[in-house]
Structures are given as C-alpha cells and as structure tokens.
Amino acid sequence: MTISATADLLNRYHDRFNQRDFIANDPIGLVHAFSDPLDREIAAFLVATLAWGRRATIIEKGAQLLELMDGAPHQFILEHRPEDRARFANWKHRTFTHVDTDYFLDFLQWYYQRHLSLEDAFARHLRPEDQTIEPALLGFHHLFFSLPDAPLRTRKHVATPARKSRCKRLCMFLRWMVRQDANGVDFGDWKRIRPAQLCLPLDVHVERVARKLKLLRRKQNDWQAVLELTAAVRRFDAEDPCKYDFALFGMGVEGLA
C-alpha cells in the first residue's frame, strides 16, 4: 500500500471512530461526567491508570473508585483526612491494590496542596522544541515517586521510558488532556503540551493494525516502538499525530485489519 493510500485509509477510519458515540463504551466516558477541568484531570489520571484488561471491567472499577471519592475527585483529594482512606480498603483492580491506592492518594493530596493542576507535573519537564513527550514522562515518573514512603510495588503502575515501557496508559491520559478537536472526545484542557508532541498509546489493537499497515516494524513492543509508530503517522499529520489512535484502535477492535 502506498503512503498516500495508507493516509487515506487512516483518515477515513479516524473520521469514523473519533465520534462522541465512542465515549459510552470507553473509559473516557467516566471523565466526561465532570465539567470542572480539575475534576477531569484527576478522574482521567486514575481511570487511565486502571486501563488494562476488559473495557467493561475498567469502566466498572473506575466508576467505583470515583464514587469512593464522593463523585468530587478534586475536592476529595484536597480535603480528605487519613480516616477517609478506610473506605478504599476493599477496593482493588487486578494487581492495583489498597497499597497502590493509598500512595496515589498520598501523592495527589501532596501535589494539589502545592500546585493548581497536574499539567505542571508533566509540562515543567518539557521544552517547546522537544519533539515528543518523552522528557515529560521521565520527569513525571521521578516526581511521582519522590515522596519518602513510595512503595516499590507501586512503580509498576506508573510507567517510564527509562524502563523501555510503552507507557500506554500515560500516553492515553495525555491524549485525553491535550488533544482537542470539533468531535468532542478528547478535552484539550492542557495548553502547555503541544498535540504535535503526543505519542500514540501502543495497545494490542493498535500494534496489530500498525504492523499490518507496515507503520511499525520493530519487533519489541517497547518505547522505541512507540516512537517509531508515532514518527510514521506524523507523516500524515505532523501537528496532531495522535488522532490516528482512533483509526488504529477502532480498526483493530472491529477486526478490520
């Protein structure tokens, strides 16, 4: 398939899947329940962190977690007391247990008592001339685990390119927060990271379709593969490469490639 034909295919399926109908059956739908950008970014970060396994289970567990925060994540993070943590004792998602939840709440409360938005935790590490979000991911990981009692086991739930991880969930979270278009799926609440710097979330559906279309040739599914795929689709839209996540993911889910 020629480059032009591949671009036409991806643009066609982007237009098909980047629609508000997508929201109802996707974890991002939980975030759309909030109108306050600070509630949205906290909900998005937590829901994206849980995004592995069946989508129905992710949505169920994400909804439970947000309900435990009284349906007001920003207020809860700022104002909750240690005794309020007891309600989370029996909540878990796969290997994400109470130990991990407790540290996430620790970090978020510490952070929001000092900063207005989680955007700064990523954007402070990124220069306008940086081609991708890699420095932001590296810096955020270091910051997130900078508290003295950070559990070693929780590190597996916040990825970093330093460990060659695909960082799928963080790439998805940043897509939600940074991208904005007329279709109304992503939020575009954050302005200090450019959509051009985003990287595609490399999940099993995206990977399978990307390999079939010869957009990804690297054998390992690691951070270098993410960079390779993002560079490949940047040829079709240098300012918004991550929009092709909709096309690749949708085609994979529906078995179109």
Side-chain angles (χ1 to χ4, degrees), residues 237-253:
D237 190 334
E239 296 304 312
D240 189 15
C242 216
K243 76 179 190 183
Y244 294 113
D245 182 34
F246 289 100
L248 295 169
F249 178 81
M251 292 169 72
V253 167

Side-chain angles (χ1 to χ4, degrees), residues 79-139:
E79 299 179 2
H80 79 274
R81 298 180 179 183
E83 54 266 29
D84 296 321
R85 304 272 183 95
R87 69 180 74 172
F88 296 90
N90 295 319
W91 181 90
K92 64 176 291 187
H93 173 57
R94 303 186 72 171
T95 62
F96 195 98
T97 70
H98 179 59
V99 173
D100 308 308
T101 306
D102 196 58
Y103 183 71
F104 269 65
L105 294 174
D106 267 344
F107 172 80
L108 289 173
Q109 186 168 69
W110 172 85
Y111 180 85
Y112 279 97
Q113 287 174 348
R114 292 160 177 80
H115 306 277
L116 176 61
S117 168
L118 199 58
E119 178 178 15
D120 183 66
F122 291 88
R124 67 169 68 177
H125 308 289
L126 200 61
R127 300 171 301 173
E129 63 268 26
D130 287 327
Q131 189 172 28
T132 75
I133 54 172
E134 181 172 342
L137 297 178
L138 291 165

Side-chain angles (χ1 to χ4, degrees), residues 182-253:
N183 300 61
V185 178
D186 297 324
F187 297 101
D189 288 335
W190 291 1
K191 306 302 182 185
R192 294 170 57 195
I193 300 173
R194 293 183 290 108
Q197 295 172 305
L198 294 174
C199 294
L200 270 73
L202 185 62
D203 73 353
V204 293
H205 302 293
V206 170
E207 179 221 340
R208 185 174 71 252
V209 178
R211 291 191 186 283
K212 186 164 185 177
L213 296 178
K214 296 183 170 45
L215 297 170
L216 178 61
R217 299 179 185 274
R218 182 174 174 81
K219 293 181 179 180
Q220 299 94 326
N221 293 321
D222 57 8
W223 182 246
Q224 286 302 313
V226 173
L227 295 179
E228 179 184 314
L229 175 57
T230 302
V233 298
R234 192 177 281 120
R235 293 176 298 172
F236 311 135
D237 190 334
E239 296 304 312
D240 189 15
C242 216
K243 76 179 190 183
Y244 294 113
D245 182 34
F246 289 100
L248 295 169
F249 178 81
M251 292 169 72
V253 167

